[in-house]
Amino acid sequence: LMRSSAASDVYKRQVLYYYILEELKTYERVDKIPRTSTGHVRQELREITDKDYSYKNKIRKAVNINPIVYNRLIDCFAGGYTHASYIYAGDILKNVTSYDFTSSYPYILVSHRFPSSKFREIKIKNVNQLIRYCAYILVVKFYNIKSKYFTSYISMSQCHYIKKGRYDNGRIIEAEELEICVTDVDFRLILDMYNCEYEIIESYYANTDYLPLKFINFVLEKYVNKTKYKGLKGYEVEYAKEKNKFNSLYGMSVTNVIRDEIIYKNEDGQFYNRELTNEEIETMLEKEESKGFLSFSYGVWVTAYARNNLLRNVIKCDDYVVYCDTDSMKLVERIR
């Protein structure tokens, strides 16, 4: 076992060594090699937009430097919708069919409108006051809320508090009261999926627009690069590399650059977390604004749109749905 472990370590070091040699063909210096797939794509985009001031100015308008707004953006951000239907839980099923969206997140990046200005506070009382071509961040209290479907949407982990809730593996079936921060896309979806009363207690709005043309073309170029190698013998490595880059486009758009400070103390050998002050957050956000690279709000709306696109189809097939994950759903041919 000892010899096997030592040999394994040697192989790992060799893999790392040859990987670095390969990367140096592109990046020339070790300290310039990106540490993640997202880093590769980020560096590529930086190079093609670095001197494009039209691109940078458009991005800067959408970077929110208000710490309160930024914290609300983090609050309403959620990932892909992943859930199994409780009506089939524990069953062994046959004749299950799968459907999925092709390249869901990249498709949204090139085809949907995103916040294109800084969010400003506004008084919104009900859904009818939401204006088309505006994006909204909403803090909402729901009362006597109950799902209309077997599929439940609201995640208990997203809620500020929940009173007398009933749950389906972390999703809220019903509750006497709850508070949550959501995008306008999520808000409309919740109203269609639940019977409820509500009160909007905090709201912000921004104008929307399509992403810069240079970014859209960058996404499309990555799609072409990925698909041209798909299924071709002898190009498996090229396909894997391009696929990783393509899949990193969303991750790049939702990178949260504002992180709490991690402090290591020699005295006790422990790590400590220090939360940033609003002033520190504002300084860091101003730095992001000056870079004009991407706005965190883009990523927040990417996943909101993706959940909406998926769930609008899921609720049409409600009692046939066995499981869904981000961009796909599995359906049983017959209901129970």
mmCIF file of all heavy atoms in Angstrom, residues 81 97-107 223 226 230 243 246-247 306 309-311 313-314 323-331:
data_model
loop_
_atom_site.group_PDB
_atom_site.id
_atom_site.type_symbol
_atom_site.label_atom_id
_atom_site.label_comp_id
_atom_site.label_asym_id
_atom_site.label_seq_id
_atom_site.Cartn_x
_atom_site.Cartn_y
_atom_site.Cartn_z
ATOM 1 N N TYR A 81 -32.817 24.742 -10.400
ATOM 2 C CA TYR A 81 -33.855 24.014 -9.660
ATOM 3 C C TYR A 81 -33.608 22.516 -9.805
ATOM 4 O O TYR A 81 -33.578 21.980 -10.904
ATOM 5 C CB TYR A 81 -35.241 24.367 -10.206
ATOM 6 C CG TYR A 81 -36.364 23.656 -9.482
ATOM 7 C CD1 TYR A 81 -36.931 24.203 -8.339
ATOM 8 C CD2 TYR A 81 -36.848 22.429 -9.942
ATOM 9 C CE1 TYR A 81 -37.957 23.555 -7.662
ATOM 10 C CE2 TYR A 81 -37.872 21.781 -9.271
ATOM 11 C CZ TYR A 81 -38.416 22.339 -8.135
ATOM 12 O OH TYR A 81 -39.432 21.695 -7.468
ATOM 13 N N THR A 97 -39.011 8.944 -19.460
ATOM 14 C CA THR A 97 -38.480 9.717 -20.585
ATOM 15 C C THR A 97 -37.812 10.986 -20.078
ATOM 16 O O THR A 97 -38.269 11.576 -19.099
ATOM 17 C CB THR A 97 -39.621 10.103 -21.551
ATOM 18 O OG1 THR A 97 -40.358 8.933 -21.906
ATOM 19 C CG2 THR A 97 -39.078 10.754 -22.806
ATOM 20 N N SER A 98 -36.750 11.404 -20.734
ATOM 21 C CA SER A 98 -36.019 12.592 -20.304
ATOM 22 C C SER A 98 -36.049 13.669 -21.388
ATOM 23 O O SER A 98 -35.909 13.371 -22.578
ATOM 24 C CB SER A 98 -34.564 12.210 -19.994
ATOM 25 O OG SER A 98 -33.872 13.328 -19.492
ATOM 26 N N TYR A 99 -36.254 14.900 -20.973
ATOM 27 C CA TYR A 99 -36.221 16.061 -21.873
ATOM 28 C C TYR A 99 -35.308 17.124 -21.265
ATOM 29 O O TYR A 99 -35.269 17.297 -20.049
ATOM 30 C CB TYR A 99 -37.619 16.658 -22.040
ATOM 31 C CG TYR A 99 -38.603 15.737 -22.708
ATOM 32 C CD1 TYR A 99 -39.376 14.854 -21.954
ATOM 33 C CD2 TYR A 99 -38.761 15.737 -24.091
ATOM 34 C CE1 TYR A 99 -40.287 13.999 -22.561
ATOM 35 C CE2 TYR A 99 -39.665 14.891 -24.709
ATOM 36 C CZ TYR A 99 -40.432 14.018 -23.941
ATOM 37 O OH TYR A 99 -41.329 13.172 -24.545
ATOM 38 N N ASP A 100 -34.575 17.824 -22.116
ATOM 39 C CA ASP A 100 -33.722 18.879 -21.575
ATOM 40 C C ASP A 100 -33.554 20.018 -22.574
ATOM 41 O O ASP A 100 -33.751 19.857 -23.775
ATOM 42 C CB ASP A 100 -32.357 18.328 -21.166
ATOM 43 C CG ASP A 100 -31.532 17.862 -22.358
ATOM 44 O OD1 ASP A 100 -31.697 16.705 -22.780
ATOM 45 O OD2 ASP A 100 -30.749 18.673 -22.867
ATOM 46 N N PHE A 101 -33.197 21.181 -22.023
ATOM 47 C CA PHE A 101 -32.845 22.339 -22.844
ATOM 48 C C PHE A 101 -31.388 22.195 -23.274
ATOM 49 O O PHE A 101 -30.531 21.856 -22.456
ATOM 50 C CB PHE A 101 -32.987 23.634 -22.050
ATOM 51 C CG PHE A 101 -34.402 24.023 -21.734
ATOM 52 C CD1 PHE A 101 -34.921 23.824 -20.465
ATOM 53 C CD2 PHE A 101 -35.199 24.604 -22.704
ATOM 54 C CE1 PHE A 101 -36.230 24.189 -20.163
ATOM 55 C CE2 PHE A 101 -36.501 24.973 -22.416
ATOM 56 C CZ PHE A 101 -37.028 24.768 -21.143
ATOM 57 N N THR A 102 -31.105 22.474 -24.516
ATOM 58 C CA THR A 102 -29.714 22.458 -24.984
ATOM 59 C C THR A 102 -29.033 23.761 -24.572
ATOM 60 O O THR A 102 -29.532 24.846 -24.886
ATOM 61 C CB THR A 102 -29.660 22.311 -26.518
ATOM 62 O OG1 THR A 102 -30.284 21.082 -26.882
ATOM 63 C CG2 THR A 102 -28.225 22.312 -27.013
ATOM 64 N N SER A 103 -27.932 23.640 -23.843
ATOM 65 C CA SER A 103 -27.121 24.812 -23.451
ATOM 66 C C SER A 103 -27.993 25.915 -22.861
ATOM 67 O O SER A 103 -28.004 27.055 -23.338
ATOM 68 C CB SER A 103 -26.338 25.338 -24.660
ATOM 69 O OG SER A 103 -25.532 24.328 -25.210
ATOM 70 N N SER A 104 -28.705 25.565 -21.800
ATOM 71 C CA SER A 104 -29.695 26.472 -21.211
ATOM 72 C C SER A 104 -29.109 27.824 -20.807
ATOM 73 O O SER A 104 -29.621 28.877 -21.216
ATOM 74 C CB SER A 104 -30.333 25.801 -19.995
ATOM 75 O OG SER A 104 -31.210 26.676 -19.334
ATOM 76 N N TYR A 105 -28.049 27.832 -19.996
ATOM 77 C CA TYR A 105 -27.495 29.097 -19.521
ATOM 78 C C TYR A 105 -26.898 29.945 -20.653
ATOM 79 O O TYR A 105 -27.184 31.149 -20.734
ATOM 80 C CB TYR A 105 -26.445 28.846 -18.439
ATOM 81 C CG TYR A 105 -27.000 28.402 -17.096
ATOM 82 C CD1 TYR A 105 -26.148 28.020 -16.066
ATOM 83 C CD2 TYR A 105 -28.377 28.360 -16.848
ATOM 84 C CE1 TYR A 105 -26.645 27.614 -14.831
ATOM 85 C CE2 TYR A 105 -28.872 27.953 -15.624
ATOM 86 C CZ TYR A 105 -28.006 27.576 -14.614
ATOM 87 O OH TYR A 105 -28.485 27.172 -13.387
ATOM 88 N N PRO A 106 -26.069 29.362 -21.535
ATOM 89 C CA PRO A 106 -25.547 30.170 -22.645
ATOM 90 C C PRO A 106 -26.658 30.721 -23.541
ATOM 91 O O PRO A 106 -26.568 31.858 -24.028
ATOM 92 C CB PRO A 106 -24.644 29.191 -23.413
ATOM 93 C CG PRO A 106 -24.216 28.205 -22.377
ATOM 94 C CD PRO A 106 -25.414 28.034 -21.488
ATOM 95 N N TYR A 107 -27.715 29.907 -23.774
ATOM 96 C CA TYR A 107 -28.846 30.391 -24.574
ATOM 97 C C TYR A 107 -29.454 31.635 -23.934
ATOM 98 O O TYR A 107 -29.765 32.625 -24.620
ATOM 99 C CB TYR A 107 -29.895 29.283 -24.695
ATOM 100 C CG TYR A 107 -31.273 29.788 -25.052
ATOM 101 C CD1 TYR A 107 -31.549 30.271 -26.337
ATOM 102 C CD2 TYR A 107 -32.295 29.826 -24.100
ATOM 103 C CE1 TYR A 107 -32.815 30.765 -26.649
ATOM 104 C CE2 TYR A 107 -33.553 30.313 -24.413
ATOM 105 C CZ TYR A 107 -33.810 30.788 -25.681
ATOM 106 O OH TYR A 107 -35.055 31.282 -25.994
ATOM 107 N N TYR A 223 -19.692 28.317 -28.478
ATOM 108 C CA TYR A 223 -20.631 27.247 -28.845
ATOM 109 C C TYR A 223 -20.177 26.567 -30.144
ATOM 110 O O TYR A 223 -20.187 25.345 -30.259
ATOM 111 C CB TYR A 223 -22.038 27.814 -29.015
ATOM 112 C CG TYR A 223 -23.063 26.768 -29.397
ATOM 113 C CD1 TYR A 223 -23.499 25.829 -28.466
ATOM 114 C CD2 TYR A 223 -23.588 26.722 -30.688
ATOM 115 C CE1 TYR A 223 -24.431 24.865 -28.820
ATOM 116 C CE2 TYR A 223 -24.517 25.756 -31.045
ATOM 117 C CZ TYR A 223 -24.930 24.835 -30.101
ATOM 118 O OH TYR A 223 -25.854 23.865 -30.450
ATOM 119 N N LYS A 226 -17.167 24.375 -29.513
ATOM 120 C CA LYS A 226 -17.501 23.124 -28.832
ATOM 121 C C LYS A 226 -18.135 22.120 -29.786
ATOM 122 O O LYS A 226 -17.733 20.956 -29.854
ATOM 123 C CB LYS A 226 -18.459 23.397 -27.670
ATOM 124 C CG LYS A 226 -18.810 22.153 -26.867
ATOM 125 C CD LYS A 226 -20.011 22.371 -25.971
ATOM 126 C CE LYS A 226 -21.312 22.265 -26.730
ATOM 127 N NZ LYS A 226 -22.481 21.953 -25.881
ATOM 128 N N LYS A 230 -17.531 17.859 -31.509
ATOM 129 C CA LYS A 230 -18.393 16.857 -30.876
ATOM 130 C C LYS A 230 -18.510 15.598 -31.747
ATOM 131 O O LYS A 230 -18.855 15.666 -32.923
ATOM 132 C CB LYS A 230 -19.793 17.431 -30.624
ATOM 133 C CG LYS A 230 -20.672 16.532 -29.769
ATOM 134 C CD LYS A 230 -21.964 17.226 -29.392
ATOM 135 C CE LYS A 230 -22.798 16.362 -28.471
ATOM 136 N NZ LYS A 230 -24.033 17.037 -28.044
ATOM 137 N N LYS A 243 -15.625 22.306 -24.342
ATOM 138 C CA LYS A 243 -16.858 22.146 -23.567
ATOM 139 C C LYS A 243 -16.710 22.773 -22.183
ATOM 140 O O LYS A 243 -17.629 23.435 -21.682
ATOM 141 C CB LYS A 243 -17.208 20.665 -23.432
ATOM 142 C CG LYS A 243 -18.557 20.424 -22.754
ATOM 143 C CD LYS A 243 -18.892 18.948 -22.689
ATOM 144 C CE LYS A 243 -20.248 18.755 -22.010
ATOM 145 N NZ LYS A 243 -20.611 17.328 -21.884
ATOM 146 N N PHE A 246 -16.961 26.487 -22.582
ATOM 147 C CA PHE A 246 -18.344 26.876 -22.865
ATOM 148 C C PHE A 246 -19.180 26.851 -21.588
ATOM 149 O O PHE A 246 -19.963 27.765 -21.319
ATOM 150 C CB PHE A 246 -18.926 25.922 -23.911
ATOM 151 C CG PHE A 246 -20.309 26.287 -24.379
ATOM 152 C CD1 PHE A 246 -20.547 27.490 -25.015
ATOM 153 C CD2 PHE A 246 -21.372 25.414 -24.186
ATOM 154 C CE1 PHE A 246 -21.813 27.831 -25.459
ATOM 155 C CE2 PHE A 246 -22.639 25.744 -24.627
ATOM 156 C CZ PHE A 246 -22.871 26.944 -25.263
ATOM 157 N N ASN A 247 -18.994 25.807 -20.798
ATOM 158 C CA ASN A 247 -19.766 25.675 -19.558
ATOM 159 C C ASN A 247 -19.340 26.670 -18.491
ATOM 160 O O ASN A 247 -20.044 26.866 -17.498
ATOM 161 C CB ASN A 247 -19.651 24.245 -19.006
ATOM 162 C CG ASN A 247 -20.354 23.228 -19.888
ATOM 163 O OD1 ASN A 247 -21.223 23.574 -20.688
ATOM 164 N ND2 ASN A 247 -19.978 21.972 -19.765
ATOM 165 N N ALA A 306 -33.576 30.629 -16.129
ATOM 166 C CA ALA A 306 -33.485 29.186 -16.366
ATOM 167 C C ALA A 306 -34.510 28.424 -15.531
ATOM 168 O O ALA A 306 -35.150 27.485 -16.013
ATOM 169 C CB ALA A 306 -32.073 28.689 -16.056
ATOM 170 N N ASN A 309 -37.909 29.042 -17.143
ATOM 171 C CA ASN A 309 -38.079 28.268 -18.383
ATOM 172 C C ASN A 309 -38.379 26.801 -18.083
ATOM 173 O O ASN A 309 -39.206 26.174 -18.747
ATOM 174 C CB ASN A 309 -36.821 28.370 -19.251
ATOM 175 C CG ASN A 309 -36.601 29.766 -19.809
ATOM 176 O OD1 ASN A 309 -37.485 30.611 -19.752
ATOM 177 N ND2 ASN A 309 -35.419 30.019 -20.332
ATOM 178 N N LEU A 310 -37.689 26.252 -17.088
ATOM 179 C CA LEU A 310 -37.896 24.848 -16.717
ATOM 180 C C LEU A 310 -39.245 24.639 -16.039
ATOM 181 O O LEU A 310 -40.030 23.774 -16.440
ATOM 182 C CB LEU A 310 -36.770 24.388 -15.790
ATOM 183 C CG LEU A 310 -36.884 22.954 -15.263
ATOM 184 C CD1 LEU A 310 -36.721 21.944 -16.396
ATOM 185 C CD2 LEU A 310 -35.864 22.691 -14.162
ATOM 186 N N LEU A 311 -39.537 25.446 -15.000
ATOM 187 C CA LEU A 311 -40.735 25.220 -14.194
ATOM 188 C C LEU A 311 -42.026 25.489 -14.958
ATOM 189 O O LEU A 311 -43.054 24.865 -14.684
ATOM 190 C CB LEU A 311 -40.686 26.084 -12.935
ATOM 191 C CG LEU A 311 -40.056 25.466 -11.681
ATOM 192 C CD1 LEU A 311 -40.859 24.274 -11.182
ATOM 193 C CD2 LEU A 311 -38.617 25.093 -11.872
ATOM 194 N N ASN A 313 -42.633 24.571 -17.848
ATOM 195 C CA ASN A 313 -42.911 23.293 -18.511
ATOM 196 C C ASN A 313 -43.229 22.199 -17.496
ATOM 197 O O ASN A 313 -44.082 21.354 -17.734
ATOM 198 C CB ASN A 313 -41.722 22.876 -19.383
ATOM 199 C CG ASN A 313 -41.598 23.720 -20.629
ATOM 200 O OD1 ASN A 313 -42.343 23.546 -21.590
ATOM 201 N ND2 ASN A 313 -40.672 24.657 -20.622
ATOM 202 N N VAL A 314 -42.548 22.226 -16.366
ATOM 203 C CA VAL A 314 -42.772 21.209 -15.336
ATOM 204 C C VAL A 314 -44.217 21.230 -14.838
ATOM 205 O O VAL A 314 -44.853 20.183 -14.695
ATOM 206 C CB VAL A 314 -41.789 21.404 -14.155
ATOM 207 C CG1 VAL A 314 -42.212 20.579 -12.936
ATOM 208 C CG2 VAL A 314 -40.378 21.026 -14.581
ATOM 209 N N TYR A 323 -38.533 13.840 -11.769
ATOM 210 C CA TYR A 323 -37.340 14.526 -11.281
ATOM 211 C C TYR A 323 -36.963 15.624 -12.265
ATOM 212 O O TYR A 323 -37.187 15.496 -13.465
ATOM 213 C CB TYR A 323 -36.184 13.514 -11.159
ATOM 214 C CG TYR A 323 -34.855 14.100 -10.746
ATOM 215 C CD1 TYR A 323 -34.615 14.466 -9.427
ATOM 216 C CD2 TYR A 323 -33.827 14.267 -11.676
ATOM 217 C CE1 TYR A 323 -33.390 15.001 -9.044
ATOM 218 C CE2 TYR A 323 -32.596 14.794 -11.296
ATOM 219 C CZ TYR A 323 -32.382 15.156 -9.985
ATOM 220 O OH TYR A 323 -31.179 15.687 -9.600
ATOM 221 N N CYS A 324 -36.414 16.706 -11.750
ATOM 222 C CA CYS A 324 -35.881 17.735 -12.648
ATOM 223 C C CYS A 324 -34.598 18.322 -12.064
ATOM 224 O O CYS A 324 -34.411 18.354 -10.856
ATOM 225 C CB CYS A 324 -36.904 18.830 -12.940
ATOM 226 S SG CYS A 324 -37.883 19.367 -11.566
ATOM 227 N N ASP A 325 -33.726 18.774 -12.964
ATOM 228 C CA ASP A 325 -32.421 19.274 -12.549
ATOM 229 C C ASP A 325 -31.940 20.348 -13.518
ATOM 230 O O ASP A 325 -31.488 20.035 -14.628
ATOM 231 C CB ASP A 325 -31.416 18.125 -12.483
ATOM 232 C CG ASP A 325 -30.030 18.570 -12.015
ATOM 233 O OD1 ASP A 325 -29.860 19.773 -11.744
ATOM 234 O OD2 ASP A 325 -29.135 17.723 -11.914
ATOM 235 N N THR A 326 -32.072 21.604 -13.114
ATOM 236 C CA THR A 326 -31.500 22.778 -13.789
ATOM 237 C C THR A 326 -32.050 23.024 -15.194
ATOM 238 O O THR A 326 -32.652 24.058 -15.461
ATOM 239 C CB THR A 326 -29.960 22.691 -13.852
ATOM 240 O OG1 THR A 326 -29.462 22.407 -12.543
ATOM 241 C CG2 THR A 326 -29.355 23.987 -14.357
ATOM 242 N N ASP A 327 -31.814 22.076 -16.107
ATOM 243 C CA ASP A 327 -32.259 22.288 -17.493
ATOM 244 C C ASP A 327 -32.955 21.048 -18.051
ATOM 245 O O ASP A 327 -33.108 20.925 -19.266
ATOM 246 C CB ASP A 327 -31.063 22.656 -18.382
ATOM 247 C CG ASP A 327 -29.983 21.572 -18.393
ATOM 248 O OD1 ASP A 327 -30.142 20.557 -17.694
ATOM 249 O OD2 ASP A 327 -28.978 21.751 -19.109
ATOM 250 N N SER A 328 -33.365 20.126 -17.178
ATOM 251 C CA SER A 328 -33.953 18.884 -17.681
ATOM 252 C C SER A 328 -35.028 18.365 -16.743
ATOM 253 O O SER A 328 -35.077 18.719 -15.559
ATOM 254 C CB SER A 328 -32.859 17.808 -17.824
ATOM 255 O OG SER A 328 -32.328 17.485 -16.547
ATOM 256 N N MET A 329 -35.907 17.541 -17.297
ATOM 257 C CA MET A 329 -36.891 16.864 -16.456
ATOM 258 C C MET A 329 -37.126 15.448 -16.967
ATOM 259 O O MET A 329 -37.000 15.176 -18.161
ATOM 260 C CB MET A 329 -38.210 17.634 -16.409
ATOM 261 C CG MET A 329 -38.916 17.841 -17.716
ATOM 262 S SD MET A 329 -40.469 18.732 -17.469
ATOM 263 C CE MET A 329 -40.931 19.089 -19.162
ATOM 264 N N LYS A 330 -37.438 14.548 -16.029
ATOM 265 C CA LYS A 330 -37.726 13.174 -16.351
ATOM 266 C C LYS A 330 -39.192 12.911 -16.073
ATOM 267 O O LYS A 330 -39.698 13.259 -14.994
ATOM 268 C CB LYS A 330 -36.834 12.232 -15.527
ATOM 269 C CG LYS A 330 -35.358 12.429 -15.830
ATOM 270 C CD LYS A 330 -34.476 11.399 -15.161
ATOM 271 C CE LYS A 330 -32.988 11.693 -15.427
ATOM 272 N NZ LYS A 330 -32.646 11.665 -16.848
ATOM 273 N N LEU A 331 -39.869 12.314 -17.059
ATOM 274 C CA LEU A 331 -41.309 12.089 -16.960
ATOM 275 C C LEU A 331 -41.614 10.589 -17.025
ATOM 276 O O LEU A 331 -40.994 9.866 -17.797
ATOM 277 C CB LEU A 331 -42.049 12.774 -18.105
ATOM 278 C CG LEU A 331 -41.794 14.274 -18.321
ATOM 279 C CD1 LEU A 331 -42.513 14.755 -19.566
ATOM 280 C CD2 LEU A 331 -42.244 15.070 -17.119
#
